[in-house]
Amino acid sequence: MTTEQRYESAREIYKNIGVDTDRAVETLKNIHISMHCWQGDDVQGFDHEGPLSGGIQTTGNYPGKAATPQELMDDIDKALSLIPGKHKLNLHANYAVFEDGEFVDRDALEPKHFRKWVEFAKERGMGLDFNPTFFSHEKAESFTLSSPDEEIRQFWIRHGQACIRISQYFAEELGQPCVMNIWIPDGYKDVPADRLSPRARFKDSLDQILSIDYDRSKVYVCLESKVFGIGMESYTVGSSEFCINYAANNGILSLMDNGHYHPTEVVSDKIPAMLLFNEKLALHVTRPVRWDSDHVVLFDDETKEIAKEIVRNDALDRVFLGLDFFDASINRISAWVVGMRNMQKAFLFALLQPNDKLKELQNNGEFTELMMLQEELKLYPFGDVWNYFCGQCSVPEKEDWFKEVQQYENEVLSKRA
Ligand SMILES: C[C@H](O)[C@H](O)[C@@H](O)C(=O)CO
Ligand SMILES: [Mn+2]
């Protein structure tokens, strides 16, 4: 049977339970995921030689990682050619591209240092999202926006302000809003004597960053919380309560990363709670394995639940969703493609649920039937709809994309120093 014939059959099967597959496919085409540039080079960037810091880690040493802006752009292009639909690219400030021998420190970054990325995005009709980089820098060895050292704190405040200006430049050049996410690693390894003052300093730093004049319809500033980082096990300045309260009180967005909570907490459950109190919300989808390990996103239960909460609560236009993982132990392009396609599969799976029927069963207390149906739905011909969607978007179906990654590895990655 051809993909089209399989799709026709799947369409009938889903129609019998009141699900319109054509509509699901069309909706999926318009879901734009922000693909993080940092999977391509293990979060290294181009503005420093030093190791990755901030309590996050890439593990593995798979050959062929991008070492120059051009290599990273080539790899992103390869990945995007295998991912259905149109997406955004998420950049970090340490990916500035300095030209003609110029170098400036992070507090002096300007839009021109990202001109190459804007050209790249424009040529591909993509939007850009952005992140100030408060780690992997000599001034980020202990604290950044919560630093008791006023000189260091001011350095990072200027960095945050510079990044807002760059974000607005992205939005204006590309004609679509830029989501700018603030995450700081600041925290203590052991029991602190004062938990309040670092948070008060962080709060003041954010106030100062946000005090510059910028267009809030073009730049959506977010604040990402975290429970702990390596070497910061006992106390994190930007905790969940801090970030949610700061965001709510200052007209910016909360960003929830599903690797940033205690292992039995799930972000899927937090999404509806946040939606009741916030017009917009941002997410980093990752896969924490025992800790915030940032493994590649799989088509697993929590990824599916996250997508379901967004779809069935009609929040596709209220949630900015980006991916955040960095696996150095496997082909990095494959990591991107697997993660992005899995996030899209999770959305498709959610779009193919008879959500009204399931809600009705819940409201009527028909939990036996609810369980039965949710389980049976797992074996519906979802894959046939997915393959059809891939064909519609002119990208390879099933695992067919992988040979292109292998070929690229043989022809390009394996020749890198
Ligand atoms: C590189 C990212 O900004 C970083 O992963 C951050 O979003 C995070 O999740 C830290 O744990
Ligand atoms: Mn994150």
Side-chain angles (χ1 to χ4, degrees):
M1 276 218 282
T2 64
T3 302
E4 281 68 30
Q5 286 166 332
R6 283 182 176 279
Y7 176 70
E8 285 308 321
S9 154
R11 177 162 48 187
E12 284 309 301
I13 294 169
Y14 276 107
K15 201 169 155 195
N16 287 337
I17 52 163
V19 171
D20 181 343
T21 54
D22 291 342
R23 209 165 95 188
V25 166
E26 280 315 304
T27 305
L28 188 58
K29 280 185 192 162
N30 291 312
I31 299 180
H32 312 298
I33 299 168
S34 194
M35 188 175 97
H36 54 312
C37 74
W38 53 92
Q39 165 58 55
D41 71 338
D42 312 340
V43 210
Q44 181 63 42
F46 307 120
D47 72 345
H48 68 288
E49 297 282 308
L52 176 60
S53 75
I56 54 178
Q57 259 189 12
T58 48
T59 52
N61 197 19
Y62 200 85
K65 106 173 157 182
T68 65
Q70 191 55 53
E71 285 179 354
L72 186 60
M73 288 175 190
D74 291 346
D75 293 357
I76 290 169
D77 265 340
K78 188 74 227 172
L80 290 174
S81 74
L82 303 171
I83 297 164
K86 189 157 274 308
H87 301 283
K88 288 181 97 180
L89 181 65
N90 200 2
L91 288 177
H92 242 285
N94 60 333
Y95 289 79
V97 181
F98 299 110
E99 295 174 280
D100 307 321
E102 190 200 5
F103 175 79
V104 299
D105 211 340
R106 292 200 192 148
D107 64 331
L109 284 170
E110 292 177 52
K112 68 176 181 185
H113 302 121
F114 292 86
R115 187 178 61 82
K116 288 258 179 224
W117 285 111
V118 165
E119 276 171 20
F120 177 86
K122 239 183 219 172
E123 280 162 17
R124 286 148 189 83
M126 300 175 81
L128 288 175
D129 292 327
F130 200 46
N131 304 259
T133 309
F134 296 104
F135 54 85
S136 299
H137 188 281
E138 63 194 8
K139 288 193 168 64
E141 268 159 23
S142 47
F143 290 83
T144 63
L145 291 178
S146 72
S147 178
D149 179 328
E150 192 54 19
E151 218 174 286
I152 289 193
R153 193 170 76 94
Q154 286 302 326
F155 173 88
W156 290 113
I157 290 170
R158 288 194 299 278
H159 177 56
Q161 293 172 335
C163 288
I164 291 187
R165 289 190 283 269
I166 293 162
S167 299
Q168 184 150 331
Y169 158 71
F170 287 172
E172 284 167 357
E173 286 291 319
L174 301 169
Q176 40 181 312
C178 173
V179 175
M180 192 198 96
N181 178 47
I182 295 176
W183 169 71
I184 60 162
D186 304 18
Y188 285 107
K189 180 183 175 76
D190 227 318
V191 185
D194 174 9
R195 289 185 165 86
L196 186 72
S197 303
R199 289 186 176 135
R201 286 191 292 268
F202 185 26
K203 181 171 178 288
D204 177 72
S205 298
L206 291 169
D207 290 347
Q208 290 194 46
I209 290 172
L210 297 174
S211 71
I212 67 164
D213 191 29
Y214 73 98
D215 185 338
R216 287 181 180 231
S217 72
K218 293 180 179 158
V219 181
Y220 287 97
V221 175
C222 311
L223 192 55
E224 178 181 15
S225 67
K226 190 158 180 174
V227 64
F228 86 95
I230 295 177
M232 272 89 57
E233 289 85 358
S234 298
Y235 169 82
T236 304
V237 181
S239 62
S240 177
E241 294 73 15
F242 177 93
C243 291
I244 288 178
N245 279 298
Y246 187 91
N249 283 294
N250 292 278
I252 62 168
L253 276 58
S254 280
L255 186 146
M256 299 190 294
D257 177 316
N258 62 308
H260 289 190
Y261 297 88
H262 291 284
T264 55
E265 278 184 275
V266 281
V267 162
S268 53
D269 184 61
K270 300 176 191 298
I271 292 170
M274 293 296 286
L275 287 174
L276 287 173
F277 298 96
N278 296 273
E279 177 45 35
K280 293 203 188 293
L281 183 63
L283 298 178
H284 273 180
V285 179
T286 186
R287 180 165 52 103
V289 179
R290 304 192 190 283
W291 70 290
D292 181 35
S293 61
D294 288 298
H295 279 63
V296 176
V297 169
L298 299 184
F299 184 51
D300 58 13
D301 284 352
E302 176 56 2
T303 309
K304 280 187 248 182
E305 287 305 309
I306 287 173
K308 281 187 207 167
E309 288 302 333
I310 298 170
V311 167
R312 65 192 174 197
N313 294 319
D314 210 10
L316 280 167
D317 57 351
R318 294 173 59 194
V319 177
F320 295 111
L321 190 145
L323 301 189
D324 182 15
F325 51 78
F326 22 99
D327 191 336
S329 73
I330 54 175
N331 180 301
R332 294 170 183 81
I333 292 154
S334 183
W336 263 321
V337 179
V338 168
M340 288 287 284
R341 286 173 68 119
N342 279 337
M343 192 67 240
Q344 291 178 289
K345 284 180 200 159
F347 275 122
L348 181 61
F349 190 79
L351 289 162
L352 292 174
Q353 301 294 296
N355 288 313
D356 291 341
K357 165 83 177 158
L358 295 171
K359 275 186 201 170
E360 192 184 305
L361 289 174
Q362 175 176 315
N363 288 338
N364 293 341
E366 298 183 63
F367 303 121
T368 311
E369 188 174 344
L370 177 61
M371 179 195 278
M372 177 285 298
L373 187 53
Q374 289 190 119
E375 289 306 296
E376 290 301 330
L377 285 165
K378 291 179 181 171
L379 296 189
Y380 266 55
F382 160 78
D384 292 336
V385 184
W386 169 255
N387 289 329
Y388 174 77
F389 170 68
C390 289
Q392 290 279 299
C393 296
S394 308
V395 301
E397 299 167 14
K398 307 191 294 291
E399 66 274 23
D400 295 353
W401 57 269
F402 188 64
K403 53 183 178 295
E404 293 203 29
V405 171
Q406 285 175 311
Q407 191 182 349
Y408 188 76
E409 177 165 321
N410 292 337
E411 291 172 3
V412 180
L413 302 182
S414 66
K415 303 210 163 52
R416 287 183 184 161

